[in-house]
């Protein structure tokens, strides 16, 4: 009798346990690494058809993970895309989310929800090692003191960054708000308006240059490369351009080794293949495309080394990797580095129209894949997903309730367990916006040149509405706006429902 009762009791206990364990799936807390390229185009990876350069490590991970053919940055330039990635908020909601000078103040509010903050709340260790470009301080930064607020005030426990871009001053690394290797007797001064007396510039001292400027980029000279903005002092702290990739990679590897005991979120925004392209000499000539291709090969090598580190540390099975790029490609972005001359028949945008700065597809549609060994099955998806969605999706993964209105929870899509993606989204390029929905994209009329002559990229400006069906016309050659007024009206209405009507629309142009 007693035995029987004990048996039934035990059975009940296990049964209840089983039910309750199954009711709520325990959130998993893998390490999360976001690898974010700078200006890497849809067609710049060999898994998307590039043949004049090889990206074996990107290819292998993309093939073993989930590849997204319709993966998007929110914007065709850097700062707004990074803003959206980290905040889950459309960048056109934040007027300051434009390409920032190296002296610009931080544009993420310190009270704002961010991806690293959300993960920190869930017990993650958080770090950024790489390019920042979201502003620092509150204006008037003194680079010789603690530079704050910055990444550490918006959710990163650890930060090791380049402030803006590789072509902008200050050309120094900043670790947790302090300029690395700064000699207090040689303070740094930075100014974007005027030069410091006696300091050479790209404009006045071409004899000092090892790389020539094509447009812009003619202010202070660092390591023979003329930059945007003026800088004085800080000699010992200046970075070595050719060692930058190794430098960040070393930091990444050190971080992984010393933080593998607890879940970590590592944001690894590489500087390649943004200008100035300065691959380490050991990568010279490894592509057929000159420095731009070589820089991509270098970045691919970094990805391979990162993977080896995760394997060696025994955590590759417990690490979700997300790989993408902040905007589309550009060949000549202001320096004579032969990237356009040597490009040959390489298609940095693949079959897509436009490139960096463009409202056409290549501005925002970028390489995008997820990789998690043993967890994500190899696959490819045509569903639409934006980097904007990472905040809510990763919140789902780790069991956080945090969501933002713009960021859709698409975890299952990212893990290859569903093909449900976005129905629609607003894309942005240099403060202009367009709308995608299903197979369609609608670009409102915008004033301005059709082509930016300097960078040789079609921007998407037209005095008329543009409407393309991407399934039938991936190259955006057939403007259907005049032929399909009802579709156009439907797109415009849906666009304005999200965007409002303050998108710089040209009032004189009525829809019908
Ligand atoms: C532009 C720069 C370009 C690049 C870009 C930012 C000139 C003429 N051009 O203003 O070289 O730095 O800003 O690129 O200065 S991004 O990828 O960070 O958005
Ligand atoms: Ca960029």
């Amino acid at each position: 009798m007693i035995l029987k009762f004990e048996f039934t009791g035990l059975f009940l206990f296990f049964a209840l346990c089983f039910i309750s364990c199954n009711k709520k799936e325990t959130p998993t807390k893998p390490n999360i690494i976001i690898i974010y390229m700078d200006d890497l185009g849809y067609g710049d990876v060999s898994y998307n058809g590039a043949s004049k350069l090889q990206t074996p490590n990107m290819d292998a991970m993309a093939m073993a993970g989930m590849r997204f053919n319709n993966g998007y940055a929110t914007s065709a330039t850097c700062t707004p895309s990074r803003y959206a990635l980290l905040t889950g908020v459309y960048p056109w909601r934040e007027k300051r989310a434009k390409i920032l000078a190296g002296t610009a103040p931080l544009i993420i509010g310190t009270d704002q929800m961010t991806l690293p903050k959300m993960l920190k709340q869930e017990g993650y260790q958080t770090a950024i090692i790489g390019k920042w470009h979201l502003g620092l301080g509150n204006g008037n930064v003194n680079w010789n003191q603690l530079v704050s607020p910055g990444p550490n005030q918006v959710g990163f426990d650890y930060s090791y960054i380049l402030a803006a871009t590789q072509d902008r001053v200050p050309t120094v690394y900043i670790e947790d708000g302090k300029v690395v290797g700064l000699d207090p007797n040689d303070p740094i001064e930075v100014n974007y308006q005027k030069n410091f007396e006696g300091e050479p510039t790209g404009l006045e001292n071409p004899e000092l240059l090892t790389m020539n400027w094509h447009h812009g980029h003619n202010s202070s000279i660092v390591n023979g490369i003329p930059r945007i903005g003026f800088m004085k002092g800080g000699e010992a702290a200046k970075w070595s351009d050719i060692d930058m990739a190794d430098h960040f990679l070393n930091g990444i590897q050190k971080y992984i080794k010393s933080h593998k005991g607890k879940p970590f979120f590592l944001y690894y925004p590489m500087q390649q293949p943004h200008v100035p392209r300065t691959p380490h000499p050991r990568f010279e000539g490894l592509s057929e495309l000159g420095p731009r291709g070589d820089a991509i090969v270098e970045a691919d090598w970094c990805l391979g080394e990162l993977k080896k580190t995760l394997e060696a540390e025994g955590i590759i099975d417990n690490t979700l990797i997300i790989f993408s790029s902040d905007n589309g490609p550009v060949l000549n972005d202001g320096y004579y580095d032969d990237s356009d001359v040597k490009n040959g028949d390489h298609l940095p945008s693949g079959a897509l129209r436009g490139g960096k700065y463009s409202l056409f597809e290549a501005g925002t549609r970028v390489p995008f894949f997820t990789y998690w060994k043993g967890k994500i099955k190899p696959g490819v998806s045509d569903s639409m997903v934006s980097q904007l969605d990472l905040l809510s999706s990763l919140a789902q993964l780790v069991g956080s309730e945090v969501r933002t209105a713009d960021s859709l929870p698409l975890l299952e899509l990212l893990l290859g367990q569903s093909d449900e993606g976005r129905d629609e989204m607003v894309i942005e390029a240099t403060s202009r916006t367009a709308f995608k929905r299903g197979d369609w994209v609608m670009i409102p009329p915008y004033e301005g040149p059709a082509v930016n002559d300097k960078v040789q990229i079609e921007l998407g400006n037209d005095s008329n509405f543009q409407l393309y069906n991407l399934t039938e016309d991936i190259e955006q050659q057939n403007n259907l706006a005049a032929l399909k007024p009802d579709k156009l009206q439907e797109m415009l209405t849906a666009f304005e429902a999200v965007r409002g009507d303050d998108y710089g629309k040209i009032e004189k142009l009525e829809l019908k």
Side-chain angles (χ1 to χ4, degrees):
M1 193 60 194
I2 292 172
L3 237 178
K4 190 178 171 199
F5 173 74
E6 268 184 11
F7 182 76
T8 323
L10 261 180
F11 176 78
L12 262 174
F13 173 75
F14 282 118
L16 277 174
C17 233
F18 183 72
I19 290 165
S20 68
C21 293
N22 264 319
K23 214 171 66 194
K24 194 167 175 276
E25 211 190 308
T26 332
T28 37
K29 296 204 168 148
N31 307 308
I32 300 169
I33 302 179
I34 295 182
I35 296 155
Y36 208 43
M37 304 305 301
D38 197 356
D39 300 2
L40 185 73
Y42 192 86
D44 276 327
V45 287
S46 35
Y47 77 82
N48 274 346
S51 61
K52 297 281 157 56
L53 84 171
Q54 294 304 316
T55 53
N57 294 298
M58 295 175 193
D59 299 355
M61 260 192 199
M63 292 304 156
M66 271 302 295
R67 260 175 305 143
F68 295 93
N69 291 336
N70 280 292
Y72 286 82
T74 53
S75 310
T77 58
C78 172
T79 298
S81 287
R82 283 159 208 263
Y83 178 85
L85 173 82
L86 291 183
T87 63
V89 174
Y90 271 129
W92 42 264
R93 296 195 196 279
E94 170 52 67
K95 292 265 179 292
R96 298 171 301 170
K98 299 182 165 63
I99 298 173
L100 295 178
T103 45
L106 177 68
I107 61 165
I108 299 177
T110 50
D111 54 355
Q112 205 173 335
M113 183 43 74
T114 64
L115 186 48
K117 257 190 205 170
M118 178 277 290
L119 291 168
K120 219 163 124 86
Q121 284 174 1
E122 296 302 318
Y124 274 75
Q125 316 170 81
T126 57
I128 169 175
I129 300 174
K131 172 177 173 173
W132 177 239
H133 212 190
L134 287 161
L136 292 168
N138 292 316
N140 265 329
V141 166
N142 181 341
W143 302 93
N144 307 291
Q145 294 171 358
L146 188 74
V147 178
S148 178
N152 298 64
Q153 285 66 45
V154 297
F156 289 103
D157 297 326
Y158 176 70
S159 67
Y160 195 104
I161 57 168
L162 77 86
T165 57
Q166 202 186 329
D167 54 351
R168 283 176 173 75
V169 297
T171 47
V172 294
Y173 297 119
I174 302 169
E175 183 177 32
D176 288 334
K178 284 174 272 292
V179 171
V180 178
L182 181 66
D183 174 356
N185 297 319
D186 181 25
I188 294 183
E189 286 177 83
V190 180
N191 193 312
Y192 270 68
Q193 268 74 51
K194 75 185 233 301
N195 195 14
F196 300 94
E197 228 188 289
E199 294 295 313
T201 65
L203 190 63
E204 289 149 346
N205 305 86
E207 75 284 0
L208 300 178
L209 302 181
T210 53
M211 193 187 283
N212 289 320
W213 56 276
H214 176 269
H215 56 280
H217 305 97
N218 56 18
S219 312
S220 286
I221 304 169
V222 181
N223 306 332
I225 303 171
R227 317 273 168 161
I228 307 172
F230 304 99
M231 173 176 169
K232 185 182 178 209
E235 209 48 53
K238 286 180 182 167
W239 66 46
S240 156
D241 290 276
I242 56 167
D243 293 318
M244 185 174 282
D246 286 333
H247 194 73
F248 283 139
L249 176 66
N250 285 339
I252 290 281
Q253 292 172 319
K254 249 174 56 196
Y255 185 88
I256 291 172
K257 287 179 190 162
S258 55
H259 291 78
K260 65 173 180 180
K262 249 179 80 187
F264 61 79
F265 167 58
L266 189 47
Y267 176 40
Y268 181 13
M270 294 194 203
Q271 86 283 9
Q272 301 106 317
H274 193 282
V275 295
R277 290 139 190 157
T278 54
H280 189 273
R282 69 185 191 276
F283 294 94
E284 244 173 66
L286 292 195
S287 78
E288 296 175 41
L289 301 172
R292 183 171 186 277
D294 297 347
I296 297 173
V297 171
E298 179 188 60
D300 183 75
W301 175 83
C302 291
L303 181 67
E305 294 304 297
L306 165 68
K307 184 162 177 241
K308 279 189 207 158
T309 305
L310 295 171
E311 282 163 350
E313 297 303 314
I315 55 172
I316 187 81
D317 296 334
N318 191 33
T319 303
L320 166 64
I321 294 174
I322 300 168
F323 179 96
S324 200
S325 172
D326 67 340
N327 53 252
V330 54
L331 295 177
N332 182 339
D333 207 11
Y335 293 98
Y336 287 101
D337 69 359
D338 272 359
S339 293
D340 42 3
V341 180
K342 293 193 171 151
N343 189 60
D345 60 0
H346 173 63
L347 299 172
S349 302
L352 309 175
R353 188 170 177 184
K356 182 173 179 176
Y357 311 111
S358 179
L359 272 180
F360 289 125
E361 279 296 282
T364 47
R365 201 198 290 206
V366 286
F368 196 134
F369 66 76
T370 56
Y371 173 88
W372 186 353
K373 193 171 177 220
K375 183 85 179 179
I376 296 180
K377 295 199 185 78
V380 53
S381 171
D382 287 330
S383 303
M384 185 154 68
V385 59
S386 166
Q387 293 160 7
L388 190 56
D389 303 324
L390 291 177
L391 192 142
S392 294
S393 304
L394 292 175
Q396 283 179 292
L397 174 72
V398 302
S400 160
E401 301 293 319
V402 168
R403 304 286 184 271
T404 65
D406 294 336
S407 173
L408 300 186
L410 298 176
L411 180 66
E412 291 190 342
L413 175 71
L414 292 173
L415 299 183
Q417 297 163 356
S418 153
D419 54 12
E420 209 166 302
R422 276 187 167 265
D423 296 329
E424 57 180 46
M425 86 190 159
V426 175
I427 50 175
E428 191 250 7
T430 55
S431 303
R432 299 158 300 142
T433 42
F435 188 62
K436 284 181 55 73
R437 182 186 237 201
D439 299 338
W440 297 87
V441 60
M442 185 273 303
I443 306 178
Y446 281 110
E447 275 166 358
V451 176
N452 177 327
D453 287 332
K454 299 246 165 61
V455 296
Q456 286 294 317
I457 288 173
E458 290 186 291
L459 299 174
N461 294 325
D462 197 296
S463 53
N464 292 307
F465 277 93
Q466 296 176 76
L467 181 70
Y468 300 98
N469 182 313
L470 294 173
T471 305
E472 289 163 8
D473 176 25
I474 183 88
E475 296 174 358
Q476 297 181 289
Q477 296 299 312
N478 306 314
N479 181 5
L480 301 175
L483 280 174
K484 297 203 174 279
D486 293 347
K487 187 74 200 175
L488 179 59
Q489 182 63 64
E490 178 196 312
M491 292 289 283
L492 188 60
T493 307
F495 171 63
E496 291 192 353
V498 185
R499 178 69 177 96
D501 60 4
D502 180 24
Y503 53 90
K505 77 173 161 188
I506 302 173
E507 299 291 350
K508 64 182 190 315
L509 285 163
E510 282 303 315
L511 182 53
K512 284 184 182 169

